[in-house]
Each structure stands twice: as C-alpha cells, then as structure tokens.
Amino acid sequence: SGYRAASAALDAQEATFGAAERTLAADIRTGYLTHAKARKLAELRAATREVLVEQVRVMDRLVAAGRATPDALSRARAELADAEQREAEAAQLSAATAQSFNLTLGRDLADSIALTDAREFGLDALPTLEAALASGLAGREELRALEAATRAATAQRQVARGSYLPNLAVALDYGVQGNEYNFSRDADFALVSVVASWNLFNGGRDRARVQQAQLEAERYELQGADARRGVELQVRLAWQAAAVAKQAIESAAVQRDAAERTYQLVSRRAEEGLASPLELSEARASRTAAQLNAVFTTYDYYLRRVELDRAAALYPRATP
C-alpha cells in the first residue's frame, strides 16, 4: 500500500508537469500566430501605401490635364499621409509581437522569426465536437493528476487500516562461538526470533487516520468529477468559438474578392476620368477594409483552434 501511494503521488506530479508543459506550448503557438497576424497586417499597410502613392500620381496628372480639381489631389495626399502613419503603427506592432515571442522562447529579443504557412500546423481542419470531447477527457493531465491523487489517498487509507492488525516480525541470527572461527555443529549457532505486537490502546488515533484518508479520497473524487465537467465545458466553448470563426473565413474571402474587383473597375474608370476621386477613395477604403477583415478573420480562427487544441489536448507539445 505504501508503494502504491508513492507511485500514485509520482504520477500526480508528472501529470501536473505535463499540464504546465501543454499550456506553455499553447502560449508559444499563440505568440507565434499573433506575430504572424501582425506581420501580415504590416505587409497589407505597406501595400496600401504603395497604392496611394500611385493614386496621388494619377490625381496629379489628372489635375494637370484639367480633368480633376485640386481638392481631389489634396484628398489623395491626405489619405497617403494617413496610410503612412498606419503603416508605421503596424510595423511597430509587428516588432513588438516578435520581441514578445522571442521572450517566450528565451531567445534574443532581436532574433528574426521565419514564418511558415499556419496550415502546416494542422489548424485548418476542425475536429468534430465528439472527437474533441473524447480527447479532452482522456488526455487532460489535470484529470490524470486528480485520478492519481485519489489512488494515493486510497492507498494511504489502506495503510492506516493496517494499524488495526497485529505486527509480526521474524529475525534470524547466525554466529560462531569461541575464540576462533570454526564452522562446525559444536562451534556455530543459529537463533530464530518471532516477535508479535498489537497496540490495543491506539485505536482512537488509528481510527482518525483512517477517517482522514477516507475523507481525502472522497475529496479528490469530487474534485475529479468537477474537473471533468469543467474540461467538458472548456472544450465545448472552445469548439463552438472555433466553428463560428471558421465559418466567417469564407464570407470574408468573398467580400475581399468582391472589393478587389470593384476597386480595379473604379480605378480604371478614374484614370479615364469617368469616376470621381470620391468614388475611387471609397472603393480603395472598402478594399482595404475587406483585406484587413480577411486577415483578422483567418488568424482569429487559428488562435481559437490553438485554444481548442489546448482545451482538448489535441496536439503534441511542440513549438512552431
């Protein structure tokens, strides 16, 4: 019983360490994806600035040709200034998330980060809710730790119950008599001792130890049941959030493609003087908003998938 108690306590410690390790792995993935998202936004802001540089050039040409008013050129320059400011902010955010990610990994803050396609992490495919629940209830280290603690308490209860029984000790002594070592029937001897003891006046203390161990076992069993319900709730909420986020990706892509086509059409018409500068500005703003929404939607889904993986213990503990 003592060996079983010690073994169960060791299992509980290992499970607790495993839970911390899995949480750290989720934090690393979250930091990586947050930086990847910030870098994508910075690239998009830089591309938007380049578009506005070209827009200022086109408006300058149209004003010179008398096909646009000076206020259109002023508006284009104002939009370019705003885009430059947003690009600087996005670049700063990208650098900040990179430093935070390097800090999590214990690397130099200035180290570069090589980005790979997030789909290589297996985040695109969404498991069924049933599979996620089964994985979480079977793989969460917190549940294994409580199960091990329950086994340890049960073993301690058995040890405490053993105090009620008499103790029996057997000893064997062997030696040689005389001034010289002579192994013979007349010189050596063997003695077997059997000692039995039974503490009849310690019943109250032993009974208290048994009751305490029993209460500990019952407490861990209740905690285990509550923890299982908590894990189930975490998995359900994480799965539902990931499912909603995944549905939004397709609609965001449709909106982005439609905004891109509209902008290209209005841009060509503006170059020919058939579309007003205001129409061009609105089309450009709609396209940028749709592109930003597509980036946000995609990476929000990835981040929710990481949380689902953490809650349901779905992925191996590995850094990106």
Side-chain angles (χ1 to χ4, degrees):
S1 297
Y3 172 78
R4 287 195 297 270
S7 178
L10 178 60
D11 291 343
Q13 292 179 354
E14 291 178 347
T16 301
F17 177 80
E21 188 178 14
R22 179 170 49 80
T23 299
L24 176 60
D27 291 341
I28 291 174
R29 285 196 169 193
T30 297
Y32 175 84
L33 290 170
T34 300
H35 171 63
K37 175 183 176 181
R39 189 185 293 188
K40 290 290 185 183
L41 293 175
E43 294 173 354
L44 179 57
R45 290 299 187 185
T48 300
R49 177 188 54 78
E50 293 176 0
V51 169
L52 288 171
V53 168
E54 176 63 18
Q55 184 172 310
V56 168
R57 186 191 66 80
V58 171
M59 286 301 163
D60 189 38
R61 187 184 63 186
L62 292 176
V63 169
R67 299 168 60 184
T69 57
D71 64 296
L73 178 58
S74 298
R75 183 184 299 109
R77 287 174 175 170
E79 291 178 348
L80 175 58
D82 180 69
E84 290 173 344
Q85 175 63 27
R86 293 182 181 274
E87 180 186 6
E89 293 172 354
Q92 188 276 329
L93 179 61
S94 177
T97 55
Q99 294 174 38
S100 178
F101 178 66
N102 284 330
L103 179 64
T104 303
L105 292 181
R107 305 192 310 188
D108 189 277
L109 297 182
D111 283 355
S112 61
I113 301 174
L115 294 183
T116 59
D117 194 333
R119 289 175 294 185
E120 294 183 7
F121 302 152
L123 299 177
D124 274 356
L126 182 65
T128 64
L129 176 58
E130 291 74 16
L133 287 171
S135 177
L137 294 175
R140 285 288 290 268
E141 295 86 353
E142 299 91 331
L143 299 181
R144 295 208 303 271
L146 287 172
E147 291 173 357
T150 302
R151 295 198 308 272
T154 301
Q156 289 292 349
R157 181 184 59 190
Q158 294 174 350
V159 171
R161 283 179 174 174
S163 301
Y164 288 129
L165 302 176
N167 295 320
L168 181 65
V170 179
L172 172 64
D173 293 323
Y174 177 79
V176 178
Q177 304 180 89
N179 297 326
E180 298 179 356
Y181 287 103
N182 184 13
F183 295 97
S184 67
R185 292 182 178 180
D186 296 329
D188 60 354
F189 71 90
L191 177 65
V192 177
S193 302
V194 178
V195 180
S197 63
W198 192 0
N199 191 344
L200 299 177
F201 305 99
N202 200 28
R205 186 186 304 174
D206 292 339
R207 187 178 302 106
R209 291 174 54 198
V210 172
Q211 292 176 347
Q212 181 180 3
Q214 176 68 29
L215 291 175
E216 283 291 311
E218 293 176 355
R219 180 170 67 87
Y220 284 126
E221 288 177 358
L222 291 175
Q223 288 182 353
D226 289 340
R228 288 180 67 85
R229 288 193 294 270
V231 167
E232 181 178 353
L233 177 61
Q234 291 177 15
V235 173
R236 286 184 179 276
L237 294 178
W239 186 90
Q240 291 166 1
V244 171
K246 186 174 179 61
Q247 292 176 356
I249 291 179
E250 184 176 352
S251 60
V254 171
Q255 295 174 17
R256 180 196 59 202
D257 295 342
E260 178 66 31
R261 289 192 297 269
T262 299
Y263 172 77
Q264 295 298 336
L265 177 61
V266 174
S267 179
R268 287 195 296 268
R269 292 178 61 216
E271 291 182 6
E272 298 172 0
L274 301 177
S276 68
L278 181 58
E279 289 180 286
L280 179 61
S281 177
E282 291 177 348
R284 196 273 311 163
S286 296
R287 185 185 72 159
T288 301
Q291 291 172 334
L292 291 172
N293 183 57
V295 173
F296 279 118
T297 302
T298 299
Y299 279 93
D300 284 350
Y301 164 69
Y302 288 155
L303 290 169
R304 282 172 171 76
R305 273 290 280 116
V306 169
E307 174 56 26
L308 173 60
D309 289 348
R310 186 205 64 78
L314 284 170
Y315 64 89
R317 305 182 195 93
T319 59

